[in-house]
Amino acid sequence: MLSENKENIIGAVMVVGGGVAGVQASLDLAEMGYYVYLLEEKSSIGGVMAELDKTFPTNDCSLCILSPKLVEAGRHPNIKIITQAKIKHIEGEAGNYKVTVLKRPRYVDETKCTACGICSSYCPTQIWDTYNAKLCTTKAIHIDYPQAVPTSYVIDPDACLYLNKQECQICVPTCKAGAIDFSQQPEEKQLEVGAIILTPGFSPVDVYKRNDYGYADFPNVITSVEFERIMCASGPFKGEILRPSDYTHPHRIAFIQCIGSRERQHPYCSAVCCMYAIKEATVALEHSSDLDITIFYMDMRTQGKGFDEFFERAKNEYKIRFVRSRIGKIRETENHNLIVTYALEDGRRLEEEFDMVVLSVGMEPPKSAGELTRALQIGQNKYGFCLTHEFSPVHTTKKGIFVAGAFQGPKDIPESVTQASGAAACASSLLFPARNTLIAHKEYPPEKEIGDEPRIGVFVCHCGINIGGVVNVPEVRKYAAKLKNVVFADENFYSCSQDTQERIKEMIEKYDLNRIVVAACTPRTHEPLFQETIREAGLNRCLFEFANIRDQCSWVHMHEKEAATQKAKDLVRMAVAKARKLQPLKEETVKVIPKALIIGGGVAGMTAALELAKQGFKCYLVEKEAELGGNLRHVYYTLEGNDPQAFLKDLITRVQEHPLIDVFVNAEIEEINGYVGNFKTKVVSKKGGPQEFDHGVIIVATGGHQYRPDEYLYGKDERVLTQMELEEKIATGKIDKDTLKNVVMIQCVGSREGERPYCSKICCSHALKNALKIKEINPQANVYILCREVRAYGFKEEFYSQARDKGIIFVRYSKENKPKVEKDNGKLRVSVFDPILQKGLVIEPSLVALSVAIVPNDVRELAKQLKTPLTKEGFFLEAHVKLRPVEAAVDGIFYAGIAHFPKPVDETISQALAAAAKATVVMAKGEVKVEPIVSSVDEQRCIGCGICEKLCPYKAIRIVKMGKKRKAETISASCKGCGVCSAHCPQQAIIMGRFTNEQIRAQIEAFGKEE
Amino acid sequence: MAQTAYEPKILGFLCNWCCYTAADSAGVARYQYPPNIRVIRVMCTGRIDPVFLIDGFLNGADGVFVGGCHLGECHYISGNYEAQFVVAFAHEILKELGINPERLRLEWASAAEGAYFVKVITEFTQWLKDVGRLGTSEKIAPEELKLKLKAAVMALEGSKLRMNFAKEAVKLKEKRERGEALEVAVSEGLKNTIKKEIAFYLSSLYLKQGPHSVSDLAQKLNFPEAEVEKFISALSKKGLITLQQQEPVPIYVAKS
């Protein structure tokens, strides 16, 4: 029961688990106005994603996209990261929990450690490096990985000589920062929070204990986790693919799928292994194209957005061999090669030799699951994951405690990130009366007046040996010191360390510096850090310029030290030339109208609207049909056995009765104008006529519909139905037992081919659901499911097993050899080739059900209005596949449900909640900061020609009347700073913040001229 | 004459989101490539003003490289389509100046394509080594080259050429949005404007160097006398040149 007294509600949330889900939830909550305690068992946050080399399906570098989020969480004033900690006990109720937390000692003071690493080089005790899957060693005092947050070393108490034998302590005098502290003791703290979000992630199945396929005995049988580290540039072999037995390059590599998944001990599917195996295989081939890779699998479950295309490319472009088979056993040859015995579908048994075997290990509940659920008194499902309900996927069994990520069930990064935001939304709607009560706002000194004369400070970074080992840093510093307007030049061991930040501030003060150049790694990751530092010293953030002398210099010219030093000098000279022209820019903010437009009144739209309305935000919900409910109106039962109609009825009632939600049915969007915070939309409905309203955000939940097939006699014979039609007939009793005696279901109708190369994700479950229902009604019925693959991912695998147990027959067909449906003398006849029996099957069914593709509703016009891109299949394209799965590239617009990609109802609800969370962030803040990289117009030069207005991709510049003349005007809040307008302005009248013509021309000139 | 070994200077413009990131990720992966490129980071290739590209050559680049996101993947929706036309336009200018347009190269590399970035830069550097310093393969004397590039930069700063170019960019964008088949090419009309504008500014530069008659200029510019007459009258109107002598033929010179 939520505290009645609103004053008792605590505006803080505890997030348990610092993987990508936990970090996302923390950032969302902190941005919404709650204080966050982020608890992590290990010594740094980042979780499994930090251990990955690449992420599918884009093969993006995992750490590169994660690291900025970790840094952001690390320096957020309203996120307190508590590492090496776990929950011991809780008391209280939703809205007001008292949590007892136990923190293990780190023996290193996080606030003092500069992560210089000298302690580690002296430490005599080697331990297995768990970050590198124990493929190499590290020291008892170590840091998990170089980019770890908090950026602090830690002592392993099990290995440290001093802690075990009271000897050594050599690290203490080596630490110049005095950070090592052996007096630390375990600490117990009591923290008060209103809600808890659980994101402890998962554990990979322990194949060592089980000795799967000789893993424990054969050195060249490794896990996918180990292979991930092996391929990583920062891994044990520096990114070279070597096999552990003899450190030679393997040539033939086999992946074996479903290790610890879809088996007795783990009867569920881990949902991500097919994709990561394909990813690892393709990345390996990018390392060395002469690899010969085979993936042994049961079903390729590549059901997500862009996943099937990835699979097809792996087959066709990368020439990875996919073998549907069952693995018998593996034995080792004398030279540690591996002989894999496997059985094909047709029963043939084969043997093949490989140099290395990778086991695609599945996901288990995290090791801490038992302890955590006991401490919180929440339920676990039968597999040990957190118990949730299909229609409330982020709620645990206890009010005020939410869950996200793999602990809720096996899932990939985008789904984890989505759920994390969803859980944050739910916590927020519980605690909103206490929003902004516990947060701190960072205070900055006023900005200094800067004189006309540039006084530039240059800080050249050694980056340990990363730069200093190649580039002659002292020489670069000396060179910089001689450049015009440079008053101070410095070199630092690590420019990003906390002590250098202090030094930069001091030097700004001492030398009255008014522009700062840092020559170090890359602005993409570290510019915000230095900008923050100079701002703290009273300089405007825009008085900063970066010279990239690591990622684009020392790292890529490692063997050409002189040339690299020359290049570093040139880059510094160019940066200084630009710095001379830098001007302070005002950070503008625009007010946000705290109202939301939600397009689409299906489950996604209604869920999002309700979640926002609960927090006091006005919502306009626009539905094109006559009633709310969308596709779920035609769903009568779910695979999991729940009643969607009851759920839907309740949801519709709550939406309709909510005073803050205005519902428009039979309504269409006619026009949308404006930008984040300030949209204006015109809606036309059949009844009410046109209406116009202002709002600050948009949630797009436009949904999709069934593909209408023209194959398999659909529309020509009434016994051929879609699954949805069949379901409706069954549920409404319009079909009798006899008609269901002989049913053939055909999968992938209109999916995974031609115009729709994607997997529609929900059809396998739909077929299983209807097949099981038929068996329930008529246990004697023959049900055949003709499929290309059974994609019963996650916990749905259980129903696939059930279906087989009940005698439902699965026959695989290939894209090239599809089943045929014919009519002969009034009888339906289905023929298909059975690869197990190796012969054609002919069935005379009483009914044929087609699992048809899901296609997006036609939103091309809407997308144009919103300025948001669509995929070639017509789904909305998210801002970032992995980390921004519900956000549009255009600020203030979010996606949920099938508009983004086909998905089942639980995933739709998670996504709708996530969209609500993102919308909440914008509205709760009440204003949006505009990056000062936007354009502005020099009115004197502008002739009002309107070229800029026509070319702007964001409608962010427009022609207005100023007196008698027409002039261009930037809408700062919409402008993203691309600069297309400026590059094309006939008058060169458009100024791009931080990228002015003058600045770039100065860089070009400095490129050509030594000073 | 044997080519002396030289190290080409390359100026790069990389967009923050894709190609710059690709270049960074090449570093993260420790891929090695020749140290000839100096990069200017822009948020989007759409930011790249054609004048930047030509100015790069004027400031001593033997090659200029533009790297953006793959078409359809632009962080700013369509900035790279715009860049594609900017580069096509700059190519025409280089051709007009007698410079091998391949010295200006446009490539797409996604954030993940560090290796591809390395391949492209390595090849481009090698190609520039093979083809030689700017001007050598073109057989244009350094002074002449500089003057021509200067004229092109002036033309690109002038509103006439810019307006014509920008209008064509708008047309192309509208075509693209209608879904029409797209050929990113510079129209004959715009090519003519390029020719004329460069010739115009070049004649002003020649006149700065010393007195010329209309036919002197026409010969140097390889341009019809009638057109040159027009330049002369435009320059006179602006008060930039003066008539040095009337007889036997009128000779003009820039005002000091």
Side-chain angles (χ1 to χ4, degrees), chain A residues 147-167:
Chain A
Q147 302 88 337
V149 171
T151 316
S152 164
Y153 276 62
V154 58
I155 292 175
D156 180 344
D158 297 331
C160 171
L161 283 178
Y162 177 70
L163 289 170
N164 290 286
K165 296 181 185 161
Q166 278 74 49
E167 50 193 47

Side-chain angles (χ1 to χ4, degrees), chain A residues 522 524 548 551-552 555-558 567 570 867 951 954 978 982-985 987 995 997 1001 1008, chain B residues 9 20-21 24 27 30-33 35 37-38 41 46-47 55 59 75-77 157 159 162 166 173:
Chain A
T522 167
R524 289 187 317 107
N548 183 330
D551 294 32
Q552 296 184 15
W555 274 353
V556 289
H557 313 307
M558 295 171 92
K567 178 168 174 178
D570 291 350
K867 296 257 174 198
L951 285 177
Y954 296 98
C978 68
S982 181
H984 291 77
C985 176
Q987 292 297 109
F995 295 91
N997 285 339
R1001 296 289 288 275
Chain B
K9 289 181 75 173
Y20 193 90
T21 312
D24 276 355
R30 311 296 195 277
Y31 295 128
Q32 303 297 303
Y33 56 85
I37 189 168
R38 307 288 179 265
R41 179 174 71 114
R47 170 69 188 96
D55 200 24
N59 278 285
H75 193 81
Y76 299 98
I77 304 176
E157 285 170 338
S159 57
R162 291 187 75 85
K173 181 182 179 177

Side-chain angles (χ1 to χ4, degrees), chain A residues 58-60 64 233 466 522-524 527 548 551-552 555-560 563 566-567 570-571 574 864 867 889-890 933 943 945 947 950-954 976-980 982-988 992 995-997 1000-1001 1003-1005 1007-1009, chain B residues 9-11 13 16 20-21 23-24 26-35 37-44 46-52 55-56 59-61 75-79 82 86 111-112 153 157-159 162-163 165-167 169-170 173-174 177:
Chain A
T58 49
N59 287 358
D60 258 329
C64 306
N466 280 305
T522 167
R524 289 187 317 107
E527 191 170 71
N548 183 330
D551 294 32
Q552 296 184 15
W555 274 353
V556 289
H557 313 307
M558 295 171 92
H559 315 299
E560 295 167 275
Q566 185 54 49
K567 178 168 174 178
D570 291 350
L571 292 173
M574 290 164 73
K864 226 178 254 175
K867 296 257 174 198
V890 181
I933 53 170
I943 53 167
C945 69
I947 297 270
K950 289 187 186 124
L951 285 177
C952 175
Y954 296 98
K976 302 265 165 249
C978 68
V980 165
S982 181
H984 291 77
C985 176
Q987 292 297 109
Q988 294 192 292
M992 297 308 302
F995 295 91
T996 65
N997 285 339
I1000 295 176
R1001 296 289 288 275
Q1003 281 174 289
I1004 297 170
E1005 201 187 330
F1007 159 80
K1009 271 195 213 92
Chain B
K9 289 181 75 173
I10 306 174
L11 179 62
F13 292 94
N16 183 62
Y20 193 90
T21 312
D24 276 355
V28 173
R30 311 296 195 277
Y31 295 128
Q32 303 297 303
Y33 56 85
I37 189 168
R38 307 288 179 265
V39 167
I40 293 178
R41 179 174 71 114
V42 285
M43 294 311 284
C44 176
R47 170 69 188 96
I48 298 166
D49 192 305
V51 76
F52 299 165
D55 200 24
N59 278 285
H75 193 81
Y76 299 98
I77 304 176
S78 55
E82 259 63 71
V86 168
V153 165
E157 285 170 338
S159 57
R162 291 187 75 85
M163 180 62 92
F165 145 74
K167 277 186 176 165
V170 169
K173 181 182 179 177
E174 285 167 352
E177 285 177 344

